Amino acid sequence: MQNFVYNSQPGRVLFGTGTLHQLPQEVERLGLQSVLILSTPHQEEQVSSLAALIGSKSAGIFAGATMHTPVSVTERALEIVSERKVDGLIALGGGSTTGLGKAIALRTDLPQIVIPTTYAGSEMTPILGETTDGRKITQSSPKVLPEVVIYDVDLTVTLPVSLSVSSGINAIAHAVEALYARDRNPIISIIAEAGIRSLFRALPAIAQDPSSRNGRSAALYGAWLCGVCLGSVGMALHHKICHVLGGAFGLSHAETHVAILPHALRFNETAAPEALTTLREAVGHQDPARALFDLGRSLGAKMALKDFGMPAEGVDRAVDLTLETPYWNPRPLEREGLRQLVSNAYEGNVP
């Protein structure tokens, strides 16, 4: 067995159905008195019920969270934090809202309660990606790790199938790269396989019956496991490219993961034979890269970067930015192979 180091991330997780009703007790347990509730604009009505749930301990709602966590949005939220003497944060939503909470926490060290409504998984990580001047910069700090995460299956039942698929495959990407991470370890590999297996089977069930409690529960559980992977070990080429594309072209974070993952896995598979063996078991297919491509395509996901806003001339820019400050990767990066990867994802080719 390989030598390894395993670090467990601190945090409290409540998982199940109806768990949202435990929010007031969690606010009380953390000793909070003035809590700012965060959301995206389209979820503002939904989070108004949270303000009612915690009553006088609500410091109001900031519904300005947006994709890729622009620093300008964080600065506006920080003004409210200061004005209202906020001592804690509640973030309800997907990666955009979670990212905003983390960005505020990085600068203030305020405690966070995160209530995910998608399968993004970032709530389980000490990682923050922020965008400024067309570049997305990623960093890691214990300050941004949420103190409490409340998973309530009930909140995911109305998540549209398209968003369920894109955020679910986004979560799978965390676990795929954890299997060949430089600091991988046997514990995280077990968690990664279980997370991939759960989501790979749950997403078709949700597409067939969006109200399926079994499907929704399995997907949320899988997303939690994959989020643990993201928060415990380093990522590689796939995540680097996705961050580049999001920062440079404003592409949807989750959709970008769907389009890139099969091609990034194909690029790396010969350099990661143990990971490939585990993936074959998890997805039940001898060619995991093709299986992941077919999963997204069969569930109606866009598989071509050109279909959601990337310009053709962006292929070379993406390669340049990826090589400028590359992540560690099991296979050495070279321009020709990397350009082929991005070009295939741009066109939506079968890997």
Side-chain angles (χ1 to χ4, degrees):
M1 180 177 289
Q2 69 183 84
N3 293 345
F4 66 90
V5 175
Y6 172 67
N7 289 311
S8 177
Q9 300 287 4
R12 176 176 168 86
V13 172
L14 286 70
F15 187 99
T17 57
T19 48
L20 182 61
H21 296 297
Q22 298 180 53
L23 178 61
Q25 294 95 306
E26 294 303 308
V27 169
E28 187 72 30
R29 193 181 63 82
L30 291 172
L32 306 180
Q33 300 298 322
S34 180
V35 184
L36 183 64
I37 301 170
L38 308 174
S39 79
T40 57
H42 83 272
Q43 287 183 302
E44 184 171 7
E45 184 176 343
Q46 185 179 6
V47 298
S48 63
S49 64
L50 300 187
L53 195 59
I54 64 174
S56 63
K57 296 190 175 181
S58 170
I61 296 168
F62 179 82
T66 191
M67 192 169 58
H68 303 305
T69 319
V71 171
S72 58
V73 173
T74 301
E75 290 171 346
R76 293 204 304 272
L78 284 168
E79 293 176 3
I80 296 173
V81 167
S82 178
E83 290 169 2
R84 302 181 189 177
K85 295 180 171 55
V86 168
D87 65 359
L89 306 166
I90 294 173
L92 182 143
S96 297
T97 309
T98 301
L100 175 59
K102 288 180 170 185
I104 296 171
L106 178 69
R107 294 159 173 83
T108 63
D109 208 18
L110 290 176
Q112 305 169 75
I113 300 174
V114 178
I115 306 166
T117 59
T118 72
Y119 306 130
S122 60
E123 66 278 354
M124 296 307 299
T125 80
I127 301 166
L128 169 65
E130 297 182 289
T131 304
T132 183
D133 298 328
R135 292 191 178 226
K136 190 167 186 178
I137 306 300
T138 302
Q139 59 183 302
S140 180
S141 168
K143 285 185 178 181
V144 309
L145 188 69
E147 279 70 16
V148 178
V149 178
I150 299 176
Y151 290 105
D152 191 333
V153 175
D154 292 341
L155 298 178
T156 66
V157 172
T158 57
L159 183 67
V161 169
S162 60
L163 291 179
S164 300
V165 170
S166 60
S167 68
I169 296 178
N170 178 8
I172 288 173
H174 308 329
V176 168
E177 291 223 299
L179 289 172
Y180 52 64
R182 176 166 48 181
D183 53 349
R184 67 190 182 279
N185 63 72
I187 305 303
I188 292 303
S189 293
I190 291 170
I191 294 173
E193 181 179 1
I196 295 167
R197 187 188 306 274
S198 189
L199 275 162
F200 199 85
R201 287 152 181 76
L203 295 178
I206 290 171
Q208 184 174 2
D209 179 8
S211 64
S212 167
R213 295 284 170 161
N214 288 336
R216 292 293 183 180
S217 183
L220 193 58
Y221 175 70
W224 170 30
L225 297 181
C226 293
V228 170
C229 295
L230 177 64
S232 301
V233 296
M235 297 287 104
L237 174 62
H238 167 84
H239 280 76
K240 175 62 181 182
I241 294 175
C242 290
H243 287 150
V244 163
L245 295 174
F249 308 111
L251 303 188
S252 164
H253 182 75
E255 285 186 316
T256 302
H257 277 272
V258 177
I260 290 291
L261 181 58
H263 303 286
L265 177 56
R266 181 70 81 213
F267 181 91
N268 278 326
E269 62 185 9
T270 57
E274 291 183 12
L276 188 64
T277 297
T278 301
L279 283 168
R280 285 169 173 160
E281 290 292 324
V283 304
H285 197 290
Q286 284 299 109
D287 186 350
R290 178 61 189 266
L292 288 166
F293 182 88
D294 289 346
L295 175 69
R297 184 169 60 177
S298 69
L299 299 180
K302 296 176 182 177
M303 302 306 297
L305 295 173
K306 65 181 181 182
D307 290 341
F308 46 96
M310 182 175 171
E313 62 272 17
V315 172
D316 286 314
R317 174 163 166 73
V319 172
D320 290 341
L321 289 172
T322 300
L323 290 172
E324 189 177 288
T325 53
Y327 290 4
W328 177 89
N329 194 64
R331 173 182 163 182
L333 302 186
E334 32 79 26
R335 180 172 294 275
E336 183 179 350
L338 187 56
R339 192 187 189 286
Q340 188 63 53
L341 186 166
V342 178
S343 180
N344 281 336
Y346 175 80
E347 295 291 345
N349 294 335
V350 175

